[in-house]
Amino acid sequence: MSNFLKHHFIPHEGNEYKPHFLREASIASLISLSLILFLGSLSYGIIATKTDLLASIYPSLVVNLTNENRVAEGDLPLRVNPLLEKSAGFKADDMAKKGYFAHTSPEGLTPWHWFDIAGYSYLYAGENLAVNFNDTDTVMNAWMNSPTHRENILNTHFTEIGIATSHGVYKGRDTIFVVQDFGTPSLASTEGNVRPVLKEVKSIAPISAVGISPKVAGESVKKVPVQEVAPLETFVAVKNEAAVSSAPAQTVIDGKSLPKLSWYQEFVLGYPTLVTDAYLVLAGVVILSLVLLIFIEVKKQHPKHILYGFLVLALVLVLLYLSRAILFPQVIVI
């Protein structure tokens, strides 16, 4: 190992003061590896925004991260409710189909509309939204750094959660919409039949309180008395005054509360970080090689190989910047 490091990184008489790591063959390999990583980033970005392959994995991890944040604050974790997944999916698909990003649709439909048509009768309800979502850690950090979204995530009134994603176009860019619905079911709703889990899930979003649901085609205006709970700038959690006022206690957290990810799902979700780390390692090794080449045997330097090193370093840093722009787009939350 010592001989390998000596020949590849340290200039000396045995390698003609030209470390193998900065010779033409190694430089070509470094360039090829950097370009392969970048092509992987492009492919990942296309798959993330144009297919449902990754969208089917994201909700499970977002639930995990949400519950991790709640438990860290001393709160109970949330159960996954198929009806909340359904309401989140309705909202996410609507935003993706119509290309808007807001709590209220262009037709004036509020978040509570999607809860109603999903059949979720709530005592308390709330919603968080995100767009440009390729990475779960990034969107969760964006929510937790926003006081309004953090309030929803840590709200002790909530006992259940449903998350969905949907890909579409927003402001001319292919993207993923995320809807995070929170709720506590009314006592009456827990006594009825449980709806089956959907095979597809789609989104996440934040909420504003209203007293009357809007009128939609084929539906009469429905009055839903609600009370604001912890009103903040752009978000309000609400209590449904029409619901039975005794919410069911959360005592047992079943396996669905903390979905387990397979090794394949963990790899796919961790790929953006893996690519970033790979570029940083490459850049670090090149910088180390340049330092050794420049400051050891100063009188016997080879300018051509020093130039090779700086050009490769510049390429790696540029591709790192571009890859991060693709893999970690600027997440918008409301």
Side-chain angles (χ1 to χ4, degrees):
M1 176 61 71
S2 60
N3 285 335
F4 175 85
L5 294 175
K6 182 177 180 180
H7 286 299
H8 282 76
F9 295 98
I10 300 175
H12 60 90
E13 186 177 359
N15 57 22
E16 299 177 342
Y17 303 99
K18 295 181 292 185
H20 295 301
F21 189 76
L22 294 178
R23 292 190 180 188
E24 286 79 358
S26 296
I27 292 297
S29 298
L30 290 173
I31 293 174
S32 298
L33 179 58
S34 299
L35 292 175
I36 289 172
L37 288 173
F38 182 68
L39 290 176
S41 300
L42 286 176
S43 300
Y44 187 95
I46 293 172
I47 292 173
T49 57
K50 292 185 178 294
T51 75
D52 289 327
L53 176 63
L54 300 180
S56 65
I57 302 174
Y58 288 141
S60 294
L61 187 56
V62 174
V63 170
N64 285 352
L65 294 174
T66 298
N67 280 333
E68 286 177 6
N69 280 284
R70 287 178 64 88
V71 171
E73 294 294 326
D75 298 335
L76 287 173
L78 303 172
R79 294 185 297 262
V80 175
N81 188 303
L83 296 183
L84 285 179
E85 290 180 324
K86 190 175 181 179
S87 68
F90 285 151
K91 177 60 177 287
D93 287 343
D94 193 64
M95 289 192 295
K97 179 180 178 181
K98 298 172 184 175
Y100 73 94
F101 181 60
H103 297 302
T104 302
S105 75
E107 298 82 11
L109 301 177
T110 67
W112 320 124
H113 169 79
W114 310 108
F115 281 73
D116 289 342
I117 65 174
Y120 187 83
S121 178
Y122 60 87
L123 180 61
Y124 294 97
E127 187 181 57
N128 285 339
L129 293 176
V131 73
N132 294 344
F133 173 64
N134 283 0
D135 176 74
T136 48
D137 288 330
T138 302
V139 75
M140 184 56 65
N141 289 337
W143 278 332
M144 291 301 291
N145 289 332
S146 165
T148 57
H149 300 87
R150 179 186 175 88
E151 181 74 15
N152 253 358
I153 290 171
L154 302 181
N155 194 322
T156 56
H157 287 297
F158 300 138
T159 61
E160 298 181 338
I161 189 173
I163 294 172
T165 64
S166 188
H167 68 266
V169 177
Y170 178 62
K171 293 186 176 180
R173 174 178 179 171
D174 286 317
T175 190
I176 292 179
F177 296 86
V178 187
V179 179
Q180 185 181 42
D181 280 349
F182 303 92
T184 296
S186 65
L187 186 60
S189 71
T190 64
E191 296 172 350
N193 294 327
V194 177
R195 304 290 182 92
V197 179
L198 296 183
K199 292 184 178 179
E200 293 184 8
V201 290
K202 302 260 177 192
S203 311
I204 320 174
I207 291 184
S208 57
V210 292
I212 300 179
S213 298
K215 185 175 182 180
V216 296
E219 179 183 47
S220 59
V221 174
K222 176 185 176 183
K223 293 184 179 181
V224 183
V226 297
Q227 176 187 1
E228 295 182 0
V229 179
L232 294 171
E233 294 177 2
T234 58
F235 139 127
V236 178
V238 300
K239 178 181 180 181
N240 185 356
E241 293 295 323
V244 178
S245 59
S246 56
Q250 184 180 11
T251 56
V252 179
I253 304 300
D254 58 32
K256 289 199 67 183
S257 297
L258 295 171
K260 302 298 182 182
L261 301 179
S262 67
W263 68 268
Y264 167 74
Q265 291 174 324
E266 291 180 349
F267 172 77
V268 170
L269 292 171
Y271 183 80
T273 301
L274 178 65
V275 170
T276 298
D277 291 344
Y279 274 124
L280 291 175
V281 169
L282 282 178
V285 174
V286 173
I287 290 173
L288 176 62
S289 300
L290 283 170
V291 169
L292 294 175
L293 180 60
I294 293 172
F295 293 102
I296 295 180
E297 297 292 346
V298 176
K299 296 180 181 180
K300 298 180 180 179
Q301 292 174 353
H302 293 268
K304 181 173 68 172
H305 294 86
I306 294 175
L307 177 61
Y308 287 162
F310 277 109
L311 290 177
V312 170
L313 179 61
L315 176 65
V316 170
L317 293 178
V318 168
L319 294 180
L320 170 61
Y321 175 81
L322 295 176
S323 292
R324 286 190 62 82
I326 295 170
L327 298 173
F328 301 99
Q330 183 62 47
V331 175
I332 304 171
V333 296
I334 61 170

